[in-house]
Amino acid sequence: MLYTEAGLLSAMENAGKEIESEEERKVLQNIGIGTPATRAAIIETLFTRSYIQRERKSLIPTEKGLLVYRLVKDKKISDVMMTAEWELALQKIEINEVDASVFLSEMETYAKSITEELLQTSIASINLPKLTCPKCKNQQLIIRDKIAKCPDESCKWIQFRNVCGVQIGIADITSLVNNGKTSLIKGMKSKAGKKFDAYIVLDDECKTTFEFDNKKAKKK
């Protein structure tokens, strides 16, 4: 299921329907994820960090976003139950049913446990392809979230992975390096703010250009 921004805001507001405990479910349904003032900012952060992107009205998870999801979906930090339990505890602290110092101690224990759990989580480098620099033909490229580059300072080949507002996936980086051309990249924006679709291709000097369906190329 793909969300629009309005649909995602609604889902955040009404989170918690799957929680078994009726008391905790009611608490979370009253607050949702975030607050009316922070939910839009949370979504904007997902865009800024390239976890999601827009495709017409729909929000599409990026390769990076799906990877992060797979890494944390079974971890304690992503357990919506914890949010409900904390909110319920805070309500009980207000009416003196729970000792605040006990709650703080539990929070410290929880923070330590999720930190240790996350530190043990790593993105295996074997998931990244081993690509040879298309320019010098000697070095294996370094691939990061924002760039793919040659480690040889005398070569200096680099490809930024965010091109005209679109995050370029690993598959297209691989295709660009190995075949000299990506698949059709949709939804890019020009400096004037106009959307366009194009292939990213390498020219004879290993510089990138745009190639449109009419086969005309435009320097980036």
Side-chain angles (χ1 to χ4, degrees):
M1 174 182 177
L2 295 178
Y3 284 103
T4 61
E5 284 192 54
L8 183 55
L9 284 169
S10 178
M12 294 169 72
E13 182 180 358
N14 298 295
K17 293 182 179 179
E18 304 301 320
I19 294 178
E20 293 182 4
S21 167
E22 183 178 355
E23 186 178 27
E24 292 174 357
R25 184 171 63 250
K26 287 181 178 179
V27 169
L28 196 59
Q29 284 179 340
N30 288 333
I31 62 164
I33 296 174
T35 67
T38 62
R39 287 174 193 135
I42 290 171
I43 294 175
E44 190 58 37
T45 298
L46 296 177
F47 282 117
T48 302
R49 296 182 180 176
S50 299
Y51 293 142
I52 59 175
Q53 62 188 35
R54 291 185 183 89
E55 188 170 305
R56 296 182 180 177
K57 292 184 178 181
S58 296
L59 304 180
I60 309 296
T62 63
E63 185 176 342
K64 176 182 176 182
L66 289 172
L67 179 58
V68 171
Y69 165 74
R70 288 193 289 267
L71 286 171
V72 305
K73 67 184 179 73
D74 296 321
K75 301 291 188 294
K76 294 177 184 177
I77 197 171
S78 64
D79 186 0
V80 72
M81 287 277 291
M82 184 58 66
T83 301
E85 289 171 5
W86 281 9
E87 289 298 329
L88 187 59
L90 289 171
Q91 289 182 9
K92 290 182 177 180
I93 288 172
E94 281 188 73
I95 58 176
N96 295 317
E97 286 188 7
V98 171
D99 189 330
S101 63
V102 173
F103 176 66
L104 286 173
S105 177
E106 290 176 351
M107 283 187 64
E108 289 175 2
T109 300
Y110 173 74
K112 181 179 179 181
S113 68
I114 63 172
T115 300
E116 290 176 348
E117 188 177 48
L118 290 174
L119 286 173
Q120 293 172 6
T121 301
S122 61
I123 301 175
S125 59
I126 58 173
N127 290 332
L128 294 174
K130 293 182 179 180
L131 302 176
T132 301
C133 175
K135 185 178 179 181
C136 70
K137 310 291 186 184
N138 293 321
Q139 300 291 329
Q140 182 177 315
L141 294 179
I142 297 171
I143 301 174
R144 298 287 185 262
D145 288 340
K146 295 183 179 180
I147 59 170
K149 73 171 188 175
C150 180
D152 189 339
E153 290 300 319
S154 63
C155 174
K156 296 183 179 179
W157 186 86
I158 186 171
Q159 173 62 43
F160 291 97
R161 292 189 57 190
N162 190 296
V163 180
C164 296
V166 175
Q167 181 77 2
I168 307 303
I170 294 297
D172 276 312
I173 291 293
T174 301
S175 182
L176 179 66
V177 171
N178 290 341
N179 306 318
K181 182 176 182 178
T182 67
S183 63
L184 185 65
I185 308 297
K186 297 184 177 181
M188 291 186 285
K189 282 188 178 181
S190 68
K191 291 181 180 179
K194 294 183 178 180
K195 288 189 175 182
F196 66 96
D197 304 335
Y199 302 93
I200 299 174
V201 300
L202 290 177
D203 64 16
D204 293 339
E205 296 179 353
C206 284
K207 295 179 180 178
T208 50
T209 66
F210 290 136
E211 182 180 290
F212 301 92
D213 286 337
N214 59 9
K215 306 302 180 184
K216 290 181 180 179
K218 174 183 175 183
K219 290 283 183 180
K220 284 171 52 181

